[in-house]
Amino acid sequence: MKKVIKMYCIFILALIIMMGVFQHMEQNVYYRAAKESAKKYTITYEQKSPGVFESEYQIPDDAEGLYLAFFTYHFESQVLIGDDVVYGVKLDEDSWNRSTGYRMNFVQLKKSDSGKKVKIVLDTDYKDLKPSTTLYVGNEVGIYKKIVKENWFRFFLLVLVFLMGAMLFLYSIIFLKLKNADVSMVHFSVFSITLALWAMIESPIADLLPNWSIARMVMDHYMLMIMPMAFILFIKSIYSKSTQKIWSYCFDLLGFIMVLRTVLQFWIHTDFKQTLWITQLGILLFVLTGIVLTIWEVVHCRLNKRLKLNLACVVIILLATAIELGFFCFREERPAIGMLGFLIYVAVITYEMVKGSRKRMESANKADDYRKLAYVDELTGVYSRRAFHKHMTEYDAVIRESYGKREKTYVVFMFDLNDLKKCNDNFGHEYGDRYLVQVADALSDIFGAEGSCYRIGGDEFSVLMPYYSMQRIQHMIESLNEQMEKFNQEGFVVHVSVAT
């Protein structure tokens, strides 16, 4: 199993590296095309008043079949060609929400629009917001392809993080049913899933999905609120017991913030955008608490393996994020290095958790085997003397509950093997063992469906079963005698017989 897991991890890592290499190679390939299907422009917005922005763009000479596409976040929008309003997004006056959500706006152009100027007017109640300056021009399919091409690698990494979290969640649920799982596996899987969903919702590729701008915005905020709460439940299990109350306070605070923001949004009509700072403040307090408690653990406690591993992964994430920010600051590019760091973190922790759960499962199986050996006779496979005494103490209550209070609620059969000592002395213990196994198998075949069979001594067997009738008992004893006679007809070193 370890080799298989390592093989899959190596395969995924190699696949990611190859995709990155091929993507870089593709950027250095130049070719001549008859006509590009989509182009990306940077436009400038002029602020007309607080929250109101305008921009103009010269439509190409041949506008037939072209679209204009631009992102908006919380903006109402209006697109005018001349005096005609050709596109618009406006909130209902009685809406409980002051935001239009996250939206990709597609404006279809006609041949008659060729060479004209288009005016884009954006309006928002959030006075601190600035509009996105990216504008795409081309046919619809070409715009889709260009946006996907620009963002596919980061989105692919997010899908991997989501799939790892989902598989870990299913794995942990299965093991929880078997009572062998660490519940922190569930918490970490939820953290991984919410992290991936939150980042995917923020991705420009998600802008391409129609008719879910408001739902996407709401989902974005809830993922951001749930994600640190799940991480707290996971990480508190790897810190010492003396810190558990502090982690619980952090969890309660973030839970209170989520309830508070929900109430403000749906009952008082204060938008999630306006209360985002509360969650950000809660996350900041959580991070500061984590730093302080980690320093305290280093100074006062011995760091356990899981905590060391998590700290090492956090360092990798910070370095990867710093490199990504460096690219953005100096080259205005955002390679998916930071998300690759998160993928490594999720993969490493998932591997360690699965490995630990398998060890716990193996230990539990060994414990079950030891318990089974204590209650099962190793030679014959029927119950042992210890199991007989245990079941005798329990059986009466079970039978009374099942069959009612009667004078005779169960029956005990006692059997002795004849001539077992003679068989051992004259033919050896191998034949004596065969004698015991034959009789045990016969007892199990006849009584096993309705009762339990036990070996309670060297040549002593017992059967414990519910009482039905004397006719039923007599029939079973006759069946046993017939079975013994069948053994004798087949031939054995001694006459096989059981005294009942």
Side-chain angles (χ1 to χ4, degrees):
M1 182 64 183
K2 291 181 181 178
K3 291 182 179 179
V4 174
I5 294 175
K6 289 181 180 178
M7 180 187 70
Y8 278 116
C9 292
I10 293 171
F11 173 76
I12 291 173
L13 182 60
L15 184 63
I16 293 170
I17 293 172
M18 284 191 296
M19 285 184 167
V21 171
F22 287 135
Q23 170 70 5
H24 178 72
M25 290 172 62
E26 185 177 356
Q27 291 175 353
N28 289 280
V29 174
Y30 298 91
Y31 55 91
R32 184 173 64 180
K35 183 179 180 181
E36 289 187 18
S37 57
K39 290 184 178 180
K40 180 180 178 181
Y41 299 94
T42 299
I43 58 176
T44 302
Y45 282 92
E46 181 183 354
Q47 186 168 356
K48 296 296 185 179
S49 61
V52 179
F53 299 85
E54 288 185 8
S55 181
E56 290 187 348
Y57 171 75
Q58 183 76 35
I59 299 174
D61 293 335
D62 184 9
E64 187 175 7
L66 296 184
Y67 285 79
L68 303 180
F70 57 94
F71 299 109
T72 55
Y73 303 99
H74 310 293
F75 279 95
E76 292 182 322
S77 60
Q78 193 175 58
V79 179
L80 299 95
I81 299 177
D83 295 328
D84 296 330
V85 177
V86 297
Y87 178 85
V89 175
K90 190 173 180 63
L91 287 171
D92 294 332
E93 293 184 1
D94 57 348
S95 173
W96 53 266
N97 184 52
R98 297 168 57 196
S99 170
T100 58
Y102 310 152
R103 185 181 296 273
M104 170 61 84
N105 304 272
F106 279 88
V107 182
Q108 186 175 11
L109 302 177
K110 297 180 179 179
K111 187 175 183 179
S112 58
D113 299 326
S114 301
K116 295 181 180 179
K117 282 190 176 182
V118 61
K119 180 190 289 186
I120 302 174
V121 181
L122 304 180
D123 186 6
T124 181
D125 289 337
Y126 307 119
K127 309 306 178 185
D128 58 328
L129 281 183
K130 302 294 181 183
S132 170
T133 59
T134 301
L135 177 70
Y136 293 92
V137 181
N139 61 58
E140 189 174 16
V141 175
I143 293 173
Y144 272 80
K145 285 183 176 180
K146 191 168 187 63
I147 293 173
V148 171
K149 184 178 179 180
E150 292 173 346
N151 300 277
W152 74 270
F153 187 64
R154 181 185 296 271
F155 199 82
F156 170 73
L157 295 180
L158 293 172
V159 171
L160 286 182
V161 172
F162 176 82
L163 291 176
M164 284 186 184
M167 287 188 292
L168 182 62
F169 181 79
L170 295 174
Y171 182 86
S172 60
I173 293 298
I174 293 172
F175 273 79
L176 279 176
K177 288 184 178 180
L178 298 176
K179 300 181 180 179
N180 289 320
D182 182 355
V183 71
S184 63
M185 291 175 63
V186 178
H187 302 318
F188 186 77
S189 66
V190 172
F191 163 72
S192 302
I193 292 170
T194 52
L195 168 66
L197 288 176
W198 172 69
M200 282 193 282
I201 290 169
E202 296 275 339
S203 170
I205 291 179
D207 291 324
L208 301 178
L209 299 176
N211 302 325
W212 79 307
S213 57
I214 300 296
R216 176 185 165 204
M217 179 196 69
V218 173
M219 187 177 178
D220 181 28
H221 284 279
Y222 274 110
M223 291 301 102
L224 183 61
M225 290 186 281
I226 295 171
M227 179 172 55
M229 295 174 66
F231 190 71
I232 288 174
L233 292 176
F234 158 68
I235 205 169
K236 68 182 291 191
S237 65
I238 62 179
Y239 279 77
S240 59
K241 291 184 178 180
S242 56
T243 64
Q244 298 302 298
K245 281 189 176 180
I246 300 176
W247 286 121
S248 297
Y249 292 149
C250 288
F251 178 83
D252 294 340
L253 173 63
L254 292 175
F256 172 75
I257 289 173
M258 183 167 67
V259 173
L260 175 63
R261 292 188 66 197
T262 301
V263 171
L264 290 174
Q265 172 68 66
F266 294 103
W267 277 271
I268 305 179
H269 294 185
T270 303
D271 282 354
F272 278 138
K273 176 68 176 66
Q274 294 174 280
T275 59
L276 177 61
W277 67 270
I278 305 177
T279 293
Q280 293 172 335
L281 179 61
I283 293 175
L284 177 62
L285 291 174
F286 155 62
V287 172
L288 293 175
T289 302
I291 294 172
V292 172
L293 291 182
T294 301
I295 295 173
W296 190 91
E297 290 275 339
V298 172
V299 174
H300 296 90
C301 303
R302 183 179 178 182
L303 297 181
N304 58 60
K305 181 182 177 181
R306 289 180 67 184
L307 183 53
K308 288 180 181 178
L309 186 63
N310 274 270
L311 291 177
C313 290
V314 168
V315 171
I316 292 174
I317 292 172
L318 292 176
L319 288 174
T321 304
I323 294 172
E324 182 173 329
L325 289 175
F327 270 92
F328 181 73
C329 292
F330 294 104
R331 299 183 59 180
E332 295 186 356
E333 296 179 7
R334 290 202 64 182
I337 301 175
M339 188 49 60
L340 184 60
F342 273 106
L343 176 63
I344 293 172
Y345 174 56
V346 172
V348 169
I349 300 302
T350 298
Y351 172 77
E352 284 298 316
M353 285 190 157
V354 172
K355 180 180 175 182
S357 69
R358 288 188 61 81
K359 284 185 177 179
R360 287 191 296 274
M361 183 179 68
E362 290 172 2
S363 298
N365 288 339
K366 287 181 181 179
D368 289 339
D369 290 341
Y370 290 139
R371 282 192 292 270
K372 184 177 179 180
L373 287 174
Y375 289 102
V376 175
D377 181 65
E378 186 177 2
L379 174 63
T380 62
V382 298
Y383 285 115
S384 65
R385 182 183 184 89
R386 177 182 292 187
F388 177 75
H389 290 300
K390 181 177 183 294
H391 292 174
M392 280 291 290
T393 59
E394 299 173 351
Y395 209 85
D396 187 58
V398 174
I399 295 300
R400 287 180 183 277
E401 181 181 350
S402 303
Y403 296 97
K405 295 182 179 179
R406 297 187 299 182
E407 232 179 74
K408 297 177 180 178
T409 56
Y410 58 87
V411 58
V412 179
F413 295 91
M414 305 297 292
F415 304 99
D416 285 316
L417 272 64
N418 298 325
D419 296 329
L420 177 61
K421 187 176 184 306
K422 177 182 175 182
C423 182
N424 285 329
D425 292 343
N426 295 337
F427 301 99
H429 286 279
E430 180 183 351
Y431 283 94
D433 291 346
R434 289 172 59 185
Y435 190 1
L436 290 167
V437 170
Q438 281 185 332
V439 172
D441 289 345
L443 291 174
S444 297
D445 289 341
I446 296 169
F447 297 96
E450 300 176 11
S452 301
C453 304
Y454 308 83
R455 184 186 176 196
I456 58 177
D459 61 351
E460 296 176 336
F461 289 83
S462 179
V463 171
L464 188 62
M465 61 174 286
Y467 174 81
Y468 295 105
S469 66
M470 285 302 299
Q471 291 83 357
R472 180 67 173 158
I473 293 171
Q474 188 63 38
H475 174 72
M476 287 183 166
I477 293 174
E478 290 175 358
S479 298
L480 178 62
N481 291 332
E482 290 175 2
Q483 188 68 33
M484 295 300 103
E485 188 61 32
K486 182 180 178 182
F487 288 153
N488 290 320
Q489 290 176 0
E490 293 174 354
F492 194 64
V493 293
V494 296
H495 184 77
V496 179
S497 60
V498 177
T500 306

